[in-house]
Amino acid sequence: MSNGQPDLLKDLSTEETAGLLALGTRISLQSGGELFRLGSEASSLYLIERGRIALTLPMQVLGRGEDILVEERLPGQTVGWSALIPPHKFTLKATAPLETEVLALSRMALLEHFSARPGVGYLVTRNLASVIGHRLQVFQAMWLREMQRVVELRGR
Amino acid sequence: MAMFLMVLCMSLLALAVTFVAFAGATRAQAESAPQPKLKPERALPQHFFADAPVDRPTVPPSVLLAQIEQHIRLEQAAAESFIERPTPASLHGRTTSPFVH
């Protein structure tokens, strides 16, 4: 990882980190390559090792369906946590705007690993809650900012 | 009988005279009445239920997409900044997004 310890593996010991990373499968994406698609089955989550992942949602722009950037994730960050959160469906589309490498961690492998090492499971789950919580806070603030604008427009 | 026929002929004659007089009077009135002027033809509005369409400058799709992306990045940065220091002012801080100016 180019940015130190990945956000998902924060506070894990070197051995615990190595043990978890050993479960992963490296995936290389060319520029423009798709990692996962909106609505598809989420069976793996991904740690970004190199490059960048753009998370997009579809929107109608001038009568055409376009994928609009919602978030961009960098090396050391996690995408695809729907793999660990029911109903295990991706709610965004993930693509690589440039050549990118990610480590795919399958849900089955992770859950098995956590069953055998509850301490690791606890730390990863805590880190995951932090990733999810951060996104919730960001989008809550963004939503409120837009609402403020709607109120201002109606008041004119 | 002769009397009856005479009255009948007189009645028919009076009716005919009345009819001719009435027809002549109405024709004269119709000819003297001014013809209603036709209104000059106006261009009909294209939208009945809305004001005339405003000429908006057409933004090329690629430019609009770039603006949307820039707006989202700026909004995300503003939201991140609010999470770092949560205050009402930081929540509603203005950005340079083209969509809010």
Side-chain angles (χ1 to χ4, degrees), chain B residues 25-83:
Chain B
T26 51
R27 191 185 305 130
Q29 194 180 7
E31 280 169 2
S32 64
Q35 292 290 320
K37 285 181 184 169
L38 290 174
K39 287 183 181 171
E41 198 173 298
R42 268 194 324 170
L44 288 173
Q46 288 179 333
H47 304 277
F48 286 105
F49 303 108
D51 293 334
V54 179
D55 286 336
R56 291 198 183 94
T58 48
V59 182
S62 59
V63 173
L64 186 57
L65 284 173
Q67 285 180 344
I68 293 170
E69 192 172 314
Q70 190 196 1
H71 174 73
I72 290 170
R73 282 180 197 279
L74 288 168
E75 283 301 299
Q76 205 154 19
E80 299 265 8
S81 149
F82 163 72
I83 292 161

Side-chain angles (χ1 to χ4, degrees), chain A residues 71-72 134 145-146 149, chain B residues 73 75-76 80 91 93 100:
Chain A
E71 256 190 307
E72 210 164 44
H134 183 75
R145 287 170 62 81
E146 292 299 331
R149 256 170 239 132
Chain B
R73 282 180 197 279
E75 283 301 299
Q76 205 154 19
E80 299 265 8
L91 178 59
V100 294

